[in-house]
Amino acid sequence: MKLTDELFNDVIVYRISELGAMGPNGSLTILKKNGETFEFDYLSDKTPWEEIKRCFPGINGCRFNGPMIDEKRGEGEIVIGGFGKSTTVNPGWKHFYLDYGNHLVCKEEYYEKLEKTFKGFDNIDITFDWIKILNESGFIQDINK
């Protein structure tokens, strides 16, 4: 898949894993408002991090290093990174720390709906199955009414 600015139009949610994260290490998964999804290996020469940041302003300038400073952590939560500088996301976006170095970031206007949709799911389920969970809940259909 060729990285272009247009490819990242209408991104509403993305999941990214830190280097060394457990599970989908070094990956970025995108969900667009129309329900289209795609995934990148940001460690790959084909989809390098610097090129992704150039094409996707929503991620450019973010830092992923454990939970955000003001983010409540669950009991037994495993933090990869988080020492010194913590995670920051751009204005207009909200963050869910999913444990083990995995992050879900959404447009601010969808945060409460996502929070309700994910209620009752473990972080590991969200990390691996967030798109399936959103599809089965009718999330995309609801936001496009």
Side-chain angles (χ1 to χ4, degrees):
M1 180 177 299
K2 182 163 175 45
L3 296 175
T4 64
D5 297 353
E6 293 77 32
L7 186 63
F8 293 95
N9 286 346
D10 294 326
V11 172
I12 59 169
V13 184
Y14 63 90
R15 197 240 352 110
I16 188 165
S17 60
E18 298 174 33
L19 292 175
M22 296 183 94
N25 181 24
S27 68
L28 169 65
T29 307
I30 301 289
L31 173 65
K32 296 175 76 164
K33 190 171 183 188
N34 66 4
E36 181 184 0
T37 62
F38 44 92
E39 187 168 358
F40 300 106
D41 175 354
Y42 65 79
L43 303 174
S44 165
D45 291 340
K46 293 179 183 174
T47 53
W49 180 241
E50 289 305 316
E51 188 67 12
I52 290 170
K53 289 191 317 184
R54 188 191 65 73
C55 295
F56 182 23
I59 206 167
N60 190 15
C62 296
R63 179 179 42 247
F64 299 98
N65 192 35
M68 296 179 73
I69 287 176
D70 60 350
E71 205 164 20
K72 187 172 80 172
R73 298 201 322 237
E75 185 177 318
E77 190 170 283
I78 304 296
V79 175
I80 305 291
F83 302 104
K85 297 182 179 181
S86 64
T87 292
T88 58
V89 297
N90 289 327
W93 295 84
K94 298 283 274 182
H95 178 261
F96 295 89
Y97 183 63
L98 300 175
D99 287 344
Y100 299 100
N102 295 290
H103 307 263
L104 193 72
V105 182
C106 68
K107 289 279 200 164
E108 205 165 41
E109 61 262 32
Y110 303 112
Y111 182 79
E112 286 182 25
K113 185 164 186 57
L114 283 174
E115 198 171 44
K116 287 178 187 172
T117 301
F118 292 139
K119 188 176 177 97
F121 287 95
D122 291 331
N123 283 345
I124 194 159
D125 296 325
I126 299 168
T127 297
F128 287 98
D129 295 326
W130 67 279
I131 292 173
K132 179 181 174 189
I133 293 166
L134 294 181
N135 284 335
E136 289 177 356
S137 73
F139 176 83
I140 295 296
Q141 294 82 0
D142 288 349
I143 65 168
N144 284 302
K145 286 182 181 177

